[in-house]
Amino acid sequence: MLLTRFSIVTILFIIGIHGIILLKLGRINFVQKSTINKTTPYSYYLCTQIFNESDLYLTEWIEFQLNVIGFKNICLINVGENLNKTLLSRYSINIINKKERQQEFHYCLACLNQSMKSNDLLFIQDVDEFLNVRQADIIYKNYDKYDKFHFQEIRYGYIYDTNQEMINRSLLETNIYRKPHEALGEFSSDDLRKLFNCKIRDKWYSCHEGHGKEMIKVGKIKQLGTHFHQSTPKVNGTGDTLFVQMRHIRLNHYVMRTREDGIQQAIKWNKGESKLGRKGEIDRNSPFYHHRRIYIDIGCFNGETIEYFIHFTMNSAFYEIYTFEPDPDNYRLCKQRLSQRKYKNLNIKIIQKVAWIRDERVYYRTERGRQSRISLNVTEDDGESIELDAIDFSSWLARLVKPNEALMHIKMSMPGAEVPVLEKMIRDNTLGLANKYEVEWIDRNNPRIRPIRIYIQLMFDSYGFECLYYTRVQDAKKVYQMNGAFDNVTKYYDWRKLSESDTLAHYVERPDMLIIENMI
């Protein structure tokens, strides 16, 4: 009988798998959670080799190492594609580019040699590995006794999330599972090994304990390896390597972050069956293979909804952000807010045109704040509208991105015009270019547009989207002001109880529309 996700979690709880507790390295007492004011005579340096690593994961890894663990500097030995310039501008890290795929960690010395001292500690690590520090003063207490510190690894990786489900979520917080580890005194059995798909494929072990990684004193380096390093001969009886107990410090190794990622890694290292236990080819046209991410906000108003997106979205710095705001007053407010210093490195483009169904001049009601809108019936405006430039949004979108080229999120706050614009996108077959929509449905009971609106909602389903819930802008604002996460924004499930204005319906592409061929 197949085990449910609930039963898996229950088993993990019973066998004593605990959450991740991460503290900075140094003289910190884990039990008392207090810092002792004593400066260490050494610094920590980190080096890794990467090959076409995703910006999404690399950013999380860098921020973790610098801001949580406390490494002084990082060297990336880069093989493959050039690194994202936006990413490089955000961090003080060293880069060495090379062509050879084999791991050659002597480059770490050339990369960091100018800043490292002989008494400093150098750690060789992969970008899917994170130190789990439970007792942070272990290195400090044993620094004079040993030349190297070896951290055993515990492997994570049998997970259910797809790449789409991982978006906006931290790798360290997803439902990633692992098998029990004997070094932690955890009980193991044949049933648990079957549960975690413990198989040997092409000499890769899905439940293998792994070798772990080493940290070494710079002045003692004779040769740097992948897992173990050679040090110069011992002096004065000094010990060589301290194998740090896993209950004090261990290395969390996220071997496979998602199902798609497992296939990508297998292909990357020419091991077709290495991760999922079978051969598979990743679809190069899949959005998961590309790193381009796009957010489009139709109806910028004063820029607050873009500000919320940036805050609530993990790695939002790597998004291309486009926003439409034709109202002159709103355009100035939007531009003013998004010109703040904290957004200067973001790729934001404000388009002062009406998102519409044709390239033409249209009448537009201005000076209405968030409710500024296209005049669909100019005879009823009593001279309140002005003529503005409009753009065929569907055609513009088709020029911006090709099918399956990017992960795209579109928010539509365009009172009354969302229906004709979405209808045009359906006719042009551009609705499926995006993976997520937030739509503010206005004039819900208008007899002239209600049948078309219902048709569009049905077409969302036909295109593979599901309306998960509704949110209000004012609720998002409250959570944002409290520096909270999107999970804390109130979700509603009956729009009849909500006002038309400022209520967004969230449409997300269903998982069954995201299955990569040969994965299941």
Side-chain angles (χ1 to χ4, degrees):
M1 182 176 67
L2 294 176
L3 292 170
T4 65
R5 182 175 299 189
F6 174 79
S7 64
I8 294 174
V9 174
T10 302
I11 291 174
L12 294 181
F13 178 80
I14 293 174
I15 61 179
I17 295 180
H18 303 291
I20 301 172
I21 301 175
L22 300 162
L23 300 171
K24 287 185 179 180
L25 290 173
R27 190 123 167 84
I28 299 177
N29 186 293
F30 171 72
V31 177
Q32 297 179 357
K33 297 183 179 179
S34 62
T35 302
I36 299 176
N37 295 322
K38 183 176 179 62
T39 303
T40 59
Y42 51 86
S43 297
Y44 297 90
Y45 288 80
L46 183 63
C47 185
T48 189
Q49 178 169 309
I50 58 176
F51 174 69
N52 295 345
E53 183 58 38
S54 163
D55 293 335
L56 179 69
Y57 299 130
L58 187 57
T59 299
E60 181 173 81
W61 185 83
I62 291 173
E63 291 185 348
F64 176 88
Q65 308 300 346
L66 292 176
N67 301 325
V68 178
I69 297 299
F71 284 98
K72 183 175 181 180
N73 208 340
I74 295 174
C75 172
L76 301 180
I77 303 172
N78 183 43
V79 181
E81 299 176 354
N82 293 330
L83 295 174
N84 187 301
K85 293 182 179 179
T86 303
L87 183 146
L88 297 180
S89 66
R90 293 178 59 188
Y91 307 103
S92 176
I93 54 180
N94 298 324
I95 310 291
I96 282 187
N97 294 298
K98 73 184 189 77
K99 296 181 180 180
E100 297 78 15
R101 288 276 294 277
Q102 64 267 29
Q103 292 178 314
E104 298 172 290
F105 291 110
H106 63 271
Y107 282 99
C108 298
L109 299 180
C111 187
L112 297 168
N113 196 38
Q114 292 183 351
S115 57
M116 287 192 305
K117 299 178 182 179
S118 62
N119 59 333
D120 290 334
L121 290 166
L122 174 63
F123 190 33
I124 305 296
Q125 187 179 323
D126 295 332
V127 292
D128 56 0
E129 297 173 338
F130 297 75
L131 273 183
N132 185 342
V133 182
R134 301 300 181 104
Q135 188 167 329
D137 59 356
I138 290 297
I139 297 175
Y140 179 86
K141 289 180 177 179
N142 292 279
Y143 178 83
D144 295 325
K145 301 177 183 177
Y146 297 93
D147 299 329
K148 297 183 291 184
F149 300 87
H150 188 89
F151 306 104
Q152 299 179 69
E153 72 175 68
I154 187 163
R155 290 194 173 186
Y156 292 73
Y158 190 80
I159 67 176
Y160 289 88
D161 285 351
T162 64
N163 280 0
Q164 180 69 13
E165 291 168 329
M166 280 284 292
I167 295 202
N168 305 334
R169 297 171 62 190
S170 169
L171 170 63
L172 303 177
E173 296 174 354
T174 56
N175 58 327
I176 299 176
Y177 303 120
R178 67 170 175 85
K179 67 178 282 288
H181 200 293
E182 295 179 358
L184 292 172
E186 295 171 341
F187 172 78
S188 184
S189 68
D190 290 338
D191 288 338
L192 285 173
R193 281 189 284 272
K194 291 179 182 178
L195 173 64
F196 286 89
N197 197 27
C198 297
K199 299 178 181 178
I200 299 176
R201 298 278 181 171
D202 293 340
K203 298 182 180 180
W204 285 66
Y205 303 83
S206 58
C207 286
H208 187 57
E209 307 298 3
H211 297 295
K213 295 293 169 64
E214 265 184 3
M215 181 182 289
I216 185 172
K217 291 180 181 178
V218 174
K220 294 292 184 179
I221 295 174
K222 182 177 180 180
Q223 184 176 344
L224 295 172
T226 303
H227 301 282
F228 299 89
H229 311 311
Q230 294 182 23
S231 58
T232 55
K234 303 175 183 179
V235 179
N236 299 327
T238 303
D240 186 21
T241 304
L242 172 63
F243 286 84
V244 180
Q245 295 183 36
M246 293 189 74
R247 61 188 178 88
H248 293 152
I249 301 176
R250 59 178 178 260
L251 197 64
N252 288 350
H253 188 182
Y254 296 87
V255 179
M256 184 171 66
R257 300 178 178 95
T258 65
R259 295 177 67 88
E260 297 97 316
D261 184 63
I263 295 177
Q264 289 188 44
Q265 288 191 40
I267 294 173
K268 180 191 300 184
W269 300 109
N270 299 318
K271 293 181 179 294
E273 299 186 16
S274 64
K275 303 294 183 180
L276 295 182
R278 57 181 166 275
K279 294 181 179 180
E281 288 293 326
I282 190 166
D283 183 0
R284 259 58 178 182
N285 294 319
S286 165
F288 307 122
Y289 186 73
H290 300 272
H291 302 310
R292 193 178 182 191
R293 289 174 171 80
I294 300 172
Y295 176 68
I296 300 172
D297 189 327
I298 303 178
C300 181
F301 177 40
N302 63 1
E304 64 176 349
T305 51
I306 293 181
E307 199 164 46
Y308 304 157
F309 170 81
I310 293 171
H311 172 76
F312 291 134
T313 304
M314 181 182 173
N315 298 314
S316 57
F318 301 110
Y319 276 76
E320 301 169 38
I321 299 177
Y322 301 88
T323 182
F324 290 81
E325 183 48 67
D327 186 304
D329 291 337
N330 290 349
Y331 175 80
R332 284 191 291 270
L333 293 173
C334 181
K335 187 174 182 179
Q336 181 180 358
R337 178 173 293 212
L338 299 179
S339 296
Q340 296 180 69
R341 183 179 180 84
K342 60 182 177 180
Y343 300 135
K344 69 175 184 177
N345 292 326
L346 298 185
N347 184 8
I348 303 176
K349 184 176 182 179
I350 307 173
I351 303 171
Q352 195 177 6
K353 289 187 178 182
V354 181
W356 186 229
I357 60 176
R358 288 181 294 272
D359 295 334
E360 61 182 359
R361 298 277 288 179
V362 298
Y363 285 97
Y364 199 89
R365 297 184 187 184
T366 60
E367 300 180 2
R368 291 170 176 255
R370 190 184 295 278
Q371 299 309 312
S372 292
R373 59 190 294 171
I374 293 177
S375 299
L376 297 177
N377 188 347
V378 69
T379 60
E380 300 176 357
D381 282 349
D382 298 327
E384 294 182 0
S385 300
I386 63 174
E387 276 194 285
L388 296 175
D389 289 329
I391 188 172
D392 183 336
F393 177 75
S394 179
S395 298
W396 174 86
L397 192 65
R399 293 191 300 269
L400 177 70
V401 64
K402 297 177 181 178
N404 299 321
E405 184 182 45
L407 294 171
M408 185 158 56
H409 178 168
I410 298 177
K411 177 229 139 189
M412 291 183 163
S413 180
M414 44 193 311
E418 71 280 358
V419 168
V421 169
L422 286 168
E423 184 185 22
K424 176 72 160 47
M425 293 176 67
I426 292 171
R427 291 201 308 268
D428 294 347
N429 197 30
T430 57
L431 188 74
L433 290 176
N435 308 93
K436 180 177 180 180
Y437 285 88
E438 294 177 47
V439 182
E440 183 182 27
W441 296 107
I442 302 296
D443 299 335
R444 300 175 192 165
N445 297 316
N446 186 326
R448 289 181 298 180
I449 64 173
R450 186 171 182 269
I452 303 176
R453 190 257 300 161
I454 293 175
Y455 157 73
I456 292 170
Q457 290 173 318
L458 292 173
M459 288 303 294
F460 263 117
D461 181 75
S462 297
Y463 269 83
F465 292 91
E466 182 176 356
C467 185
L468 299 182
Y469 46 75
Y470 306 91
T471 62
R472 301 187 304 169
V473 175
Q474 56 185 300
D475 292 334
K477 182 177 182 178
K478 291 178 182 178
V479 175
Y480 169 77
Q481 291 174 339
M482 297 174 62
N483 198 32
F486 184 75
D487 289 343
N488 302 124
V489 177
T490 303
K491 314 296 189 303
Y492 302 89
Y493 301 92
D494 186 351
W495 77 347
R496 293 172 297 180
K497 299 178 181 179
L498 302 171
S499 65
E500 292 184 354
S501 176
D502 300 344
T503 295
L504 295 168
H506 291 251
Y507 295 87
V508 178
E509 201 168 13
R510 294 193 302 265
D512 60 301
M513 302 300 295
L514 301 172
I515 295 174
I516 295 178
E517 185 180 2
N518 296 327
M519 189 192 321
I520 302 300

